[in-house]
Amino acid sequence: MPQMNMIEAIRDALDVKMGQDKDVLVFGEDVGYFGGVFRCTAGLQEKHGLHRCFDTPISEGGIVGIAVGMAANGLRPVAEIQFADYIYPGYDQIASEAARLRYRSNGDFTAPLTIRTPVGGGIYGGTTHSQSPESLFTHIAGLKTVIPSNPYDAKGLLIQAIEDNDPVLFLEPKRLYNGPFDGDPHKPAVSWAKHELGDVPAGHYTVPFESARKVASGDDLTILCYGTMVWVAETSAKMMGVDADILDLRSLLPLDIDAIAESVKRTGRCLILHEATRTSGFGAELAAQVAEACFYSLEVPIFRVTGWDTPYPHAQEWAYFPGQRRVCGGIRTIMESQ
Amino acid sequence: MTKKPNTSRLHIPEPPFRPGDTPDYSHISVPAEHTLAKPDTLCEGHETSQHALGLIRVLRFNGEAVGEWNPNLSEEQLLKALKDMMMTRAMDARMFTMQRQGKMSFYMKSTGEEAMSIGHAMALRSDDMVFPTYRQQGILISRGASIKEMMCQCLSNAGDPLDGKSIPVLYSFKKHGFFSISGNLGTQLIQGVGWAMANAYRDEDGIASVITGEGSTAEGDFHYALNFASTYRAPCIINVVNNQWAISSFQGIAMGEGQSFAARGTGYGLATLRVDGNDVLAVYAATAWAAERARRGGGATVIEHFTYRKEGHSTSDDPSKYRPEDEPDVWPFGDPIERLKAHMILLGLWDEDRHAEQEAACKKEIREIYKQAEAMGSLSGDTNVNDFTMFEQVYETPPRHLKDQIDMFKAEQD
């Protein structure tokens, strides 16, 4: 199988769908001739034509707005928002329009569009290039929100997103574009080149939503995570010498509550991780659902390890990031609780 | 009560007249001459910059149709335009009354603005997608939509094609080229540009026509729409219905005074037309020009339809609180139905008796349709809408969490 990093896997998904379906269009700021600031669309314009992959004005509201109109008119637009931090001018078009069009028109019009956008920190992006706004989108009825943690899932989930008949927000953890990241910024960067999840099949395949991936099996505790935190979780569990049951959620909405409940009922301990700020973060939703589904199986309180409730700082990036020390602390808290 | 004057240097625009004032609009020039040339539809955008500042008119108040913008409609077209405007007004009147009787939560009349909807719809192809706002019910009537279905939508009853999901007048009629209306104003503008871009991408000659009130031109979406339409030469028409009032805010709040909304398009390099919105022939002519330009690859035109909102913003509004009660009567551009009527009488196609008969016939027809619609349910009795439909069309198929909530709701019913 071809070996790809996450950028190449995303590009390959777009290439496969553009090749299969002339209704698939790709656009956003700098995505055309240049191929995107993270290179996810490099070569697509040359291969598929100017009219299939093109630059837009710096106008996130406009980008999402034309995507809604195109999708309603039968196309399958894939819009790129250069950083998730820039998505807010498009929020009205996502929350009030893309996500509501099917409902308010009772199925008369639909908006099968995909919005791709890089999320998360770890690249010294500071306040405006590091945010993880997933919970602002999982709160929206009518929208689906997915987030891969590796090249294989990135390609399969993106193809699934493009083929889905509902609007999908596709979040790309930018720190994972070039390799898995275990949360230690001082170690040399690891690439996807030799990683088994960098083995990405050529051609068409999908990864279904609402299906969590079992990263590690164990009986000591359950760790619920997604995106970059999947890799921090795996390393931290090894460091702590615990047999953790680690679930990479992949799709936040819809959510694979069955896999979560099966695991927590078995382990009786649940640690929830995310990079986003803590209060009203997606971890709050996960904690509530675990409590509702597994309360009588829980041996100790649910525990969250998250980013702090501050804007994402620049110089203090690694003090903000929920890295190994904070995750190991969370594991210790859970395991030492009686 | 005397108003406390503005004693600061901060300029806050105010309309010329408030309740208690005697409105006098003689300062608004009503061009008597019809000097604005009709350029080739593929002219450069800047060749229409004067059209953004003047006013395209065809109908004189004496009923004459003059000038090169005269679309020379056939007798059949004139009769249809008049009938559709009268039906729209009759429907609005009936629905307003029924709202007052508690049959529906809300309604919005388009009284005084019927020429914009009807003239515009007649000049478009029926498969051109319009992205309307909430005062273009005339487009649906012109395109032959079922008035009963429209009424059922307002009544949120068993005949509502939207199953009661949306508030009254937020219609969606894809089969009539009428995009789902959003209550978040202005959002449809950039969507319509995207729709038009899709048409161009597929080499189809259908166009999109997007419509906003003047108030919502202040939204970013209006700027997005003009900018993207210009960048990608999208085959669309961007209409601003300037009816002077956005709820209680006069048009100067949206834009400042002494300018034109059509001129907003000039800086984007778009063609720009400003048209007497109470003159159905002028609306038709401007629309036909812009539609031809879009279809021929000339890109978008911004049309300002200069008109006046004769009634309140909605059934929840009382305009006597913020403007003189007789202001609609002294508005210098007259009433769109009366003006077309005068024209048709001058042509010998129409007379006062026939007009009165048609008015009575429209009223009767609307009453009868309404009776059938209300028989399917209303807010004052039972809407006959199954509550479980609220879970439908959130997604194509309900995800697990929504299925669970359907079960929870089911349990509530026991």
Side-chain angles (χ1 to χ4, degrees):
Chain A
M1 276 197 286
Q3 199 72 21
M4 297 184 197
N5 62 28
M6 207 191 291
I7 294 165
E8 292 162 335
I10 287 164
R11 185 189 305 150
D12 196 46
L14 295 171
D15 185 37
V16 165
K17 284 313 298 173
M18 292 174 88
Q20 281 183 344
D21 183 354
K22 63 177 172 29
D23 290 336
V24 176
L25 296 192
V26 173
F27 50 85
E29 295 156 18
D30 301 300
V31 308
Y33 186 86
F34 176 57
V37 294
F38 288 105
R39 321 299 300 142
C40 288
T41 58
L44 296 177
Q45 184 181 83
E46 191 177 5
K47 180 171 176 183
H48 296 283
L50 194 59
H51 58 309
R52 302 285 308 277
C53 176
F54 55 85
D55 294 332
T56 62
I58 302 172
S59 173
E60 291 76 16
I63 292 167
V64 181
I66 60 166
V68 172
M70 288 175 170
N73 196 359
L75 299 185
R76 295 266 161 181
V78 185
E80 177 178 307
I81 300 298
Q82 203 162 69
F83 285 85
D85 315 66
Y86 306 165
I87 206 165
Y88 305 114
Y91 197 75
D92 188 35
Q93 286 287 345
I94 297 171
S96 313
E97 298 296 318
R100 299 288 149 78
L101 183 58
R102 177 191 288 280
Y103 192 76
R104 75 167 195 242
S105 73
N106 207 22
D108 200 23
F109 293 92
T110 59
L113 57 89
T114 304
I115 299 166
R116 296 177 36 246
T117 191
V119 294
I123 63 155
Y124 283 105
T127 309
T128 53
H129 305 80
S130 309
Q131 294 171 41
S132 295
E134 63 272 11
S135 69
L136 297 177
F137 294 96
T138 53
H139 195 60
I140 298 170
L143 184 68
K144 297 177 181 178
T145 298
V146 302
I147 177 166
S149 69
N150 59 76
Y152 179 91
D153 285 348
K155 180 175 170 182
L157 283 172
L158 182 52
I159 291 177
Q160 179 72 31
I162 296 169
E163 293 177 354
D164 199 284
N165 287 328
D166 290 306
V168 180
L169 183 68
F170 185 86
L171 304 175
E172 302 172 2
K174 64 177 88 68
R175 178 68 205 216
L176 300 181
Y177 272 147
N178 290 302
F181 173 65
D182 68 5
D184 182 352
H186 306 297
K187 272 199 254 171
V190 180
S191 87
W192 289 110
K194 294 199 173 79
H195 200 283
E196 60 173 8
L197 289 167
D199 276 344
V200 176
H204 180 279
Y205 71 93
T206 58
V207 170
F209 299 164
E210 211 166 338
S211 68
R213 178 175 71 94
K214 183 70 72 89
V215 178
S217 297
D219 296 321
D220 289 348
L221 81 163
T222 298
I223 303 181
L224 304 180
C225 50
Y226 50 90
T228 309
M229 295 309 293
V230 170
W231 302 97
V232 183
E234 194 178 23
T235 302
S236 301
K238 279 184 195 149
M239 287 168 69
M240 292 299 290
V242 291
D243 279 333
D245 213 43
I246 304 177
L247 288 177
D248 173 359
L249 300 175
R250 298 199 285 201
S251 156
L252 305 185
L253 193 113
L255 184 68
D256 188 354
I257 187 65
D258 290 339
I260 294 170
E262 184 282 322
S263 176
V264 176
K265 282 179 180 167
R266 189 161 38 76
T267 64
R269 293 165 194 263
C270 181
L271 177 66
I272 294 168
L273 310 182
H274 59 64
E275 197 182 330
T277 49
R278 186 177 187 83
T279 303
S280 299
F282 192 66
E285 176 63 29
L286 288 172
Q289 293 211 29
V290 167
E292 284 171 347
C294 315
F295 185 77
Y296 294 106
S297 307
L298 286 171
E299 293 172 27
V300 302
I302 300 164
F303 197 80
R304 287 181 290 166
V305 169
T306 68
W308 307 124
D309 279 340
T310 68
Y312 214 112
H314 182 233
Q316 307 87 336
E317 171 138 65
W318 301 112
Y320 173 92
F321 186 85
Q324 292 168 4
R325 181 183 299 195
R326 205 175 307 155
V327 175
C328 286
I331 293 172
R332 193 176 301 116
T333 300
I334 289 241
M335 295 313 294
E336 288 175 359
S337 293
Q338 297 296 316
Chain B
M1 192 175 72
T2 48
K3 269 188 299 188
K4 190 172 182 179
N6 181 355
T7 54
S8 82
R9 290 174 62 190
L10 175 65
H11 177 66
I12 312 290
E14 265 288 282
F17 309 108
R18 287 295 194 185
D21 295 336
T22 303
D24 175 4
Y25 283 96
S26 55
H27 64 284
I28 293 184
S29 79
V30 179
E33 296 301 316
H34 299 77
T35 52
L36 282 169
K38 192 173 180 184
D40 185 84
T41 53
L42 286 185
C43 70
E44 295 294 326
H46 65 79
E47 292 176 53
T48 59
S49 57
Q50 285 310 307
H51 296 72
L53 304 173
L55 196 69
I56 296 168
R57 304 181 75 225
V58 173
L59 284 177
R60 285 184 170 170
F61 293 122
N62 65 7
E64 272 183 290
V66 294
E68 57 182 312
W69 288 90
N70 183 356
N72 296 304
L73 298 189
S74 68
E75 178 179 347
E76 190 189 353
Q77 284 173 306
L78 291 171
L79 287 166
K80 177 175 165 54
L82 187 66
K83 172 84 189 293
D84 288 345
M85 287 201 287
M86 293 172 76
M87 279 297 275
T88 304
R89 188 166 291 187
M91 176 179 169
D92 282 350
R94 185 73 187 154
M95 297 304 272
F96 189 91
T97 307
M98 292 300 104
Q99 193 279 338
R100 286 291 184 251
Q101 293 184 17
K103 303 293 184 185
M104 65 197 94
S105 59
F106 178 81
Y107 192 74
M108 303 179 93
K109 298 168 97 170
S110 62
T111 311
E113 300 174 43
E114 295 91 344
M116 187 276 143
S117 296
I118 305 294
H120 194 67
M122 287 180 76
L124 293 175
R125 251 171 32 190
S126 61
D127 60 337
D128 292 334
M129 183 62 68
V130 296
F131 287 73
T133 177
Y134 45 71
R135 237 180 279 281
Q136 281 81 49
Q137 49 265 53
I139 292 176
L140 284 170
I141 287 176
S142 176
R143 285 181 166 177
S146 158
I147 291 173
K148 184 180 164 192
E149 277 186 21
M150 292 169 69
M151 289 176 167
C152 287
Q153 193 282 328
C154 294
L155 291 159
S156 274
N157 67 18
D160 174 9
L162 308 184
D163 286 337
K165 289 189 168 76
S166 285
I167 59 168
V169 314
L170 298 192
Y171 306 111
S172 176
F173 281 96
K174 192 175 187 180
K175 63 185 172 187
H176 297 296
F178 194 92
F179 193 72
S180 160
I181 301 175
S182 177
N184 288 28
L185 303 186
T187 51
Q188 73 279 7
L189 302 170
I190 181 66
Q191 295 165 3
V193 173
W195 181 284
M197 289 172 71
N199 282 348
Y201 169 77
R202 286 194 296 248
D203 285 330
E204 296 166 354
D205 68 350
I207 66 170
S209 182
V210 306
I211 304 168
T212 179
E214 87 287 349
S216 305
T217 62
E219 293 282 5
D221 298 89
F222 179 70
H223 167 77
Y224 307 152
L226 269 63
N227 194 34
F228 278 68
S230 173
T231 298
Y232 301 107
R233 211 174 297 165
C236 60
I237 307 173
I238 298 168
N239 299 278
V240 179
V241 183
N242 178 5
N243 68 8
Q244 314 302 323
W245 291 97
I247 307 187
S248 71
S249 302
F250 87 117
Q251 52 93 20
I253 291 292
M255 188 184 62
E257 296 129 305
Q259 302 171 51
S260 94
F261 288 94
R264 292 293 203 228
T266 306
Y268 294 88
L270 300 175
T272 50
L273 303 175
R274 189 163 175 269
V275 60
D276 178 350
N278 289 9
D279 174 346
V280 70
L281 301 186
V283 170
Y284 182 101
T287 305
W289 188 92
E292 184 182 305
R293 178 176 176 83
R295 247 184 270 286
R296 291 175 72 192
T301 302
V302 178
I303 305 179
E304 176 181 347
H305 302 261
F306 193 72
T307 182
Y308 186 86
R309 195 193 79 206
K310 283 184 138 186
E311 302 277 350
H313 166 72
S314 74
T315 46
S316 310
D317 181 36
D318 176 4
S320 71
K321 293 276 194 288
Y322 51 81
R323 71 183 188 191
E325 287 199 56
D326 58 342
E327 189 177 90
D329 306 324
V330 302
W331 186 247
F333 292 88
D335 179 85
I337 293 178
E338 292 301 316
R339 286 178 63 188
L340 180 60
K341 178 182 125 188
H343 175 59
M344 291 169 66
I345 290 174
L346 191 77
L347 291 180
L349 300 174
W350 202 244
D351 57 52
E352 293 288 354
D353 288 347
R354 286 179 72 183
H355 195 81
E357 275 166 34
Q358 178 153 295
E359 205 167 61
C362 287
K363 197 173 168 183
K364 183 159 178 278
E365 189 179 347
I366 288 291
R367 285 178 81 95
E368 279 164 9
I369 300 171
Y370 180 80
K371 205 181 292 173
Q372 293 170 29
E374 201 198 289
M376 301 187 79
S378 76
L379 281 186
S380 70
D382 190 336
T383 61
N384 298 314
V385 171
N386 180 340
D387 284 340
F388 281 91
T389 57
M390 75 179 157
F391 292 107
E392 295 169 2
Q393 301 292 347
V394 181
Y395 297 92
E396 183 180 36
T397 51
R400 164 69 188 275
H401 68 281
L402 217 43
K403 285 182 191 153
D404 289 347
Q405 289 169 32
I406 294 170
D407 290 340
M408 289 159 76
F409 180 65
K410 245 179 223 159
E412 262 181 30
Q413 311 302 303
D414 297 335

